[in-house]
Amino acid sequence: MNLPSHQLTMTVLMTPDMANFSGNVHGGTILKFLDQVAYACASRYSGRYVVTLSVDQVIFRQPIHVGELVTFLAAVNHTGTSSMEVGIKVIAENIQTHEARHANSCFFTMVAVDDHRKPVAVTPIKPSNEVEVRRHAAADVRKKLRQEFSKQFEALKESAAYKA
């Protein structure tokens, strides 16, 4: 593979055991694959085991059907001290017609850990092209929004209105 260490691609055939009652692939199945891909991408980049801290903006744009090939395109977009944002784009492909479509996107925050499961520093990522610069900047905005949301939610929990 010629992919850089901060990128990963995985393709999986969607089988009948993955279907929900509507006959489409169950969203939980896709979420499981997304978590596995995020884990593999962040672990490869950091050279460490990682844990999932958060999942943001999971958008199921289109259903995925049994019998389709699904490709997960993952990349580390941003790094913190021990955390990494992994962006994942999901492409579903009809095997017979070769029609491919963007079915899902999301962002996972993964944290590198040592042998005692304590956070450990990761190498800062340096965007190397226009796309990576754009993804890095967007990831920085998402990180700030998560921090602001957390701060506001903590303030709400401390308020009298929340405790009532």
Side-chain angles (χ1 to χ4, degrees), residues 20 29 36 45 47 85 90 92 97 100 107 110 118 133 149:
N20 61 21
T29 299
Q36 290 172 347
Y45 177 75
E85 184 197 86
V90 180
T97 66
F107 303 95
M110 310 300 284
K118 300 294 181 199
V133 167
F149 176 79

Side-chain angles (χ1 to χ4, degrees), residues 1-5 7 44:
M1 297 284 301
N2 292 329
L3 287 176
S5 68
Q7 295 178 353
R44 173 196 268 172

Side-chain angles (χ1 to χ4, degrees), residues 126-156:
K126 295 181 175 81
S128 62
N129 59 46
E130 199 174 297
V131 171
E132 290 180 359
V133 167
R134 177 181 51 78
R135 289 176 180 169
H136 190 271
D140 194 42
V141 169
R142 282 187 293 275
K143 181 178 182 177
K144 289 175 182 163
L145 288 171
R146 281 190 302 274
Q147 291 169 339
E148 181 60 30
F149 176 79
S150 180
K151 210 183 324 179
Q152 287 188 23
F153 190 71
E154 286 302 316
L156 176 64

Side-chain angles (χ1 to χ4, degrees), residues 7-22:
Q7 295 178 353
L8 183 118
T9 300
M10 181 177 86
T11 302
V12 180
L13 174 65
M14 298 295 108
T15 56
D17 62 311
M18 299 173 182
N20 61 21
F21 293 111
S22 299

Side-chain angles (χ1 to χ4, degrees), residues 29-46:
T29 299
I30 299 303
L31 287 170
K32 180 180 178 192
F33 283 126
L34 288 166
D35 193 47
Q36 290 172 347
V37 168
Y39 177 91
C41 186
S43 291
R44 173 196 268 172
Y45 177 75
S46 67

Side-chain angles (χ1 to χ4, degrees), residues 45-143:
Y45 177 75
S46 67
R48 297 286 190 159
Y49 289 121
V50 299
V51 295
T52 305
L53 178 66
S54 69
V55 183
D56 291 339
Q57 299 179 340
V58 178
I59 301 170
F60 293 98
R61 297 165 50 104
Q62 296 184 18
I64 296 173
H65 308 289
V66 170
E68 290 186 312
L69 283 177
V70 175
T71 300
F72 299 85
L73 306 167
V76 174
N77 294 330
H78 191 276
T79 53
T81 303
S82 60
S83 66
M84 296 156 279
E85 184 197 86
V86 178
I88 306 172
K89 182 177 185 177
V90 180
I91 306 296
E93 179 185 351
N94 181 302
I95 292 174
Q96 296 173 322
T97 66
H98 301 287
E99 175 192 353
R101 63 194 196 293
H102 181 189
N104 182 293
S105 287
C106 64
F107 303 95
F108 277 68
T109 302
M110 310 300 284
V111 175
V113 294
D114 64 17
D115 294 338
H116 304 288
R117 301 296 184 234
K118 300 294 181 199
V120 62
V122 297
T123 304
I125 194 154
K126 295 181 175 81
S128 62
N129 59 46
E130 199 174 297
V131 171
E132 290 180 359
V133 167
R134 177 181 51 78
R135 289 176 180 169
H136 190 271
D140 194 42
V141 169
R142 282 187 293 275
K143 181 178 182 177

